[in-house]
């Protein structure tokens, strides 16, 4: 039974962000077919942020009508909406209509909005739902959430998305003045098949959720009451007092072993935790994803795909490490956040130096940028898991606000990067075939 619940929790977590992650990794194919071209990522960023209306509405309902929101019903509707949207995308992703005198991908935009609504709202519904199970299953959920990035990336690699070759575009014979241009290689399977694969992953998540909901409440440590009573709803910022205290006379965290949860946290500690949630999600979901292409493409296609694939692997790997080697020390998590932010700073610096970053054309430069992305994702993913475990001890409401804080961070990161990339053009794309940098 324990192994089954771990597996179901993992597969349930798969449905959290698999749809939006899938659309992102498919962009190199989409931009060659849709009329928006490489402006498509900027449209996609705005659509995803608009979908934050979902978690905002759920959070307000929790606050204004405590105890009345039936989360299992909401989650079922979200997953069904995600499956339906993925299937419709497979049929209508390339349909265009004329808006403002030009063709636009209206079907793709509308269906992507519904997928984003599912994934954004999962932040404030999926994790709080896990409150009905013991805390060790929360780590399994985070493993599944990490796989929601890895599996679409693996499918895109198998599809050969974004692989290119250099071709001579000048007329006549090859000369020293020949113009070399980048040409995308045909994919191994179509975009339609890719969207059907996303739909299948969403179906698996829905099936796992139904199974978790049907499990007998004899699972050790589970609770019958998924949504707390009206009187127990809070933001998670209040001190639980004597009822949550576990150490006679010790202050918060004093004498606490790394593997032990103490829900009695001070206001300053809780503020630190929620600020960390905002920053970590802002960096991993908004700031750095916007520049990954700029930081890796100058080193070549292989480096770019290795960085995206290994970064996707780092997420579930870090969640697995957190499951077996938990450390709830806020000092340790703060240092780990600073370390991960340092790797993120290096990635951002290489993106700013594009198309001629440090050590371009050398094996050392390629290795460092791949490792930097791997460690950036891995360290901050570990922090996400441990913060979720800490807040789980404070109850359902604390996890709802954790999800809301994560979405706020993602929004801030995305809104910050959008004008820098699309308006002020602070980052320059690299064409591996035609860009020449000083040695």
């Amino acid at each position: 039974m324990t192994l089954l619940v771990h597996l179901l929790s993992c597969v349930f977590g798969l449905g959290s962000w698999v749809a939006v992650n899938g659309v992102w990794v498919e962009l190199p194919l989409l931009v060659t077919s849709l009329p928006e071209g490489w402006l498509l990522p900027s449209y996609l960023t705005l659509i995803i942020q608009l979908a934050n209306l979902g978690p905002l509405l759920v959070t307000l309902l929790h606050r204004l009508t405590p105890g009345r929101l039936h989360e299992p019903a909401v989650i079922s509707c979200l997953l069904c909406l995600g499956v339906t949207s993925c299937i419709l995308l497979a049929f209508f992703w390339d349909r265009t209509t004329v808006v403002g005198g030009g063709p636009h991908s209206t079907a793709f935009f509308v269906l992507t909005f519904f997928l984003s609504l599912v994934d954004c709202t999962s932040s404030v519904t999926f994790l709080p739902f896990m409150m009905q199970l013991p805390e060790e299953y929360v780590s399994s959920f985070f493993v599944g959430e990490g796989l929601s990035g890895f599996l679409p990336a693996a499918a895109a690699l198998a599809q050969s998305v974004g692989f290119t070759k250099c071709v001579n575009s000048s007329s006549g014979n090859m000369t020293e003045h020949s113009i070399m241009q980048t040409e995308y290689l045909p994919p191994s399977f179509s975009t339609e098949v890719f969207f059907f694969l996303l739909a299948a992953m969403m179906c698996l998540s829905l099936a796992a959720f139904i199974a978790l909901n049907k499990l007998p409440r004899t699972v050790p440590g589970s609770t019958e009451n998924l949504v707390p009573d009206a009187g127990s709803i809070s933001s998670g910022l209040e001190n639980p007092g004597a009822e949550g205290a576990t150490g006679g006379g010790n202050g918060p965290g004093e004498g606490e072993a790394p593997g032990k949860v103490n829900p009695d946290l001070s206001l300053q500690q809780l503020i630190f935790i929620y600020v960390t949630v905002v920053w970590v999600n802002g960096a991993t979901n908004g700031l750095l994803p916007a520049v990954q292409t700029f930081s890796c493409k100058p080193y070549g296609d292989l480096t770019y795909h290795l960085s995206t694939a290994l970064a996707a692997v780092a997420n579930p790997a870090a969640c697995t490490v957190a499951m077996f080697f938990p450390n709830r020390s806020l000092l340790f998590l703060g240092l780990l956040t600073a370390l991960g932010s340092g790797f993120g700073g290096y990635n951002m610096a290489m993106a700013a130096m594009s198309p001629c970053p440090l050590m371009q054309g050398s094996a050392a430069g390629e290795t460092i940028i791949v490792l930097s992305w791997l460690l950036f994702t891995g360290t901050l993913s570990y922090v996400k898991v441990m913060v979720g475990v800490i807040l789980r001890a404070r109850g359902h409401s604390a996890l709802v606000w954790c999800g809301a804080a994560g979405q706020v961070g993602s929004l801030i990161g995305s809104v910050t990067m959008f004008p820098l990339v699309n308006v002020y053009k602070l980052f320059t794309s690299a064409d591996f075939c035609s860009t020449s940098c000083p040695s």
Side-chain angles (χ1 to χ4, degrees), residues 260-300:
K260 180 181 177 182
V261 177
N262 184 359
D264 189 15
L265 297 170
S266 68
L267 178 63
Q268 291 78 10
Q269 288 173 318
L270 283 166
I271 291 174
F272 170 78
I273 289 173
Y274 281 108
V275 169
T276 299
V277 171
V278 172
W279 167 248
V280 168
N281 281 274
T284 56
N285 299 334
L287 295 174
L288 272 300
V291 299
Q292 186 166 18
T293 302
F294 298 104
S295 68
C296 299
K297 269 291 189 180
Y299 295 99

Side-chain angles (χ1 to χ4, degrees), residues 171-378:
S171 58
N173 298 326
M174 293 282 291
T175 67
E176 62 180 27
H177 300 293
S178 295
I179 301 175
M180 302 301 292
Q181 288 187 345
T182 301
E183 180 179 290
Y184 284 93
L185 299 176
S188 303
F189 53 87
S190 67
T191 300
E192 290 80 4
V193 172
F194 182 83
F195 284 132
F196 278 124
L197 288 175
L198 292 185
M201 295 179 197
M202 293 292 292
C203 283
L204 287 174
S205 179
L206 176 59
F209 169 71
I210 294 173
L212 283 173
N213 223 18
K214 297 293 184 181
L215 281 177
R217 292 303 190 263
T218 55
V219 179
S222 65
T223 64
E224 283 282 354
N225 190 16
L226 175 60
V227 181
D229 296 330
S232 64
I233 292 289
S234 69
S235 67
L237 292 178
E238 298 86 356
N239 194 304
E243 188 175 2
T246 56
N250 286 340
E254 292 180 19
E256 184 178 336
K260 180 181 177 182
V261 177
N262 184 359
D264 189 15
L265 297 170
S266 68
L267 178 63
Q268 291 78 10
Q269 288 173 318
L270 283 166
I271 291 174
F272 170 78
I273 289 173
Y274 281 108
V275 169
T276 299
V277 171
V278 172
W279 167 248
V280 168
N281 281 274
T284 56
N285 299 334
L287 295 174
L288 272 300
V291 299
Q292 186 166 18
T293 302
F294 298 104
S295 68
C296 299
K297 269 291 189 180
Y299 295 99
D301 286 338
L302 179 60
T303 301
Y304 171 68
H305 284 283
L306 280 175
S307 69
T308 54
L310 291 179
V313 172
N315 194 318
C319 296
T320 304
V321 171
M323 186 187 304
F324 294 103
F325 302 99
N327 190 324
R328 298 173 178 83
S329 165
L330 295 186
L331 175 60
F332 174 76
L333 294 179
L335 292 175
L336 204 59
T337 301
L339 180 63
S341 301
F343 290 119
Y346 178 82
N347 300 336
M348 184 69 74
M350 295 306 100
M353 297 175 67
S354 177
C356 299
L358 296 177
M359 295 180 284
Q360 185 189 35
S362 68
E366 296 167 5
T367 301
I368 290 173
I369 193 65
V370 170
L371 286 177
S372 182
W373 274 101
L374 174 68
L375 295 172
F376 162 73
T377 306

Side-chain angles (χ1 to χ4, degrees), residues 121-203:
T121 311
S122 73
S123 297
V124 293
T125 53
F126 284 24
L127 188 57
F129 170 80
M130 295 300 295
M131 275 294 296
Q132 69 172 312
L133 298 175
E135 92 176 30
E136 58 264 27
Y137 297 113
V138 174
S139 297
S140 297
F141 171 83
F142 277 113
V143 171
E145 189 176 79
L147 289 175
S148 72
F150 169 68
L151 291 182
L157 279 176
Q159 192 184 13
S160 301
V161 169
F163 283 99
T164 60
K165 66 177 180 179
C166 299
V167 296
N168 176 31
S169 63
S170 60
S171 58
N173 298 326
M174 293 282 291
T175 67
E176 62 180 27
H177 300 293
S178 295
I179 301 175
M180 302 301 292
Q181 288 187 345
T182 301
E183 180 179 290
Y184 284 93
L185 299 176
S188 303
F189 53 87
S190 67
T191 300
E192 290 80 4
V193 172
F194 182 83
F195 284 132
F196 278 124
L197 288 175
L198 292 185
M201 295 179 197
M202 293 292 292
C203 283

Side-chain angles (χ1 to χ4, degrees), residues 11-180:
V11 177
F12 172 52
L14 176 64
S16 56
W17 283 96
V18 70
V20 167
N21 287 331
V23 171
W24 272 110
V25 298
E26 193 71 1
L27 278 178
L29 279 184
L30 298 177
V31 297
T32 61
S33 302
L34 298 179
E36 289 79 12
W38 278 107
L39 289 177
L40 198 61
S42 60
Y43 284 98
L44 190 58
T45 301
L46 290 178
I47 290 171
I48 293 174
Q49 299 316 316
L50 181 62
N52 276 306
L53 291 172
L56 175 62
L57 177 62
V58 170
T59 305
L60 288 176
L61 287 174
H62 272 294
R63 192 63 178 175
L64 299 177
T65 59
R68 295 185 180 181
L69 187 67
H70 188 56
E71 273 174 339
V74 174
I75 295 172
S76 297
C77 291
L78 287 174
L79 290 173
C80 289
L81 179 61
V83 172
T84 304
S85 299
C86 286
I87 293 174
L88 291 176
L89 265 179
F91 291 104
F92 301 110
W93 70 273
D94 57 349
R95 303 292 179 88
T96 60
T97 56
V98 177
V99 179
H104 287 281
S105 310
T106 48
F108 176 79
F109 290 154
V110 171
L111 292 172
T112 299
F113 169 77
F114 286 118
L115 288 180
S116 303
L117 187 65
V118 172
D119 290 3
C120 290
T121 311
S122 73
S123 297
V124 293
T125 53
F126 284 24
L127 188 57
F129 170 80
M130 295 300 295
M131 275 294 296
Q132 69 172 312
L133 298 175
E135 92 176 30
E136 58 264 27
Y137 297 113
V138 174
S139 297
S140 297
F141 171 83
F142 277 113
V143 171
E145 189 176 79
L147 289 175
S148 72
F150 169 68
L151 291 182
L157 279 176
Q159 192 184 13
S160 301
V161 169
F163 283 99
T164 60
K165 66 177 180 179
C166 299
V167 296
N168 176 31
S169 63
S170 60
S171 58
N173 298 326
M174 293 282 291
T175 67
E176 62 180 27
H177 300 293
S178 295
I179 301 175
M180 302 301 292

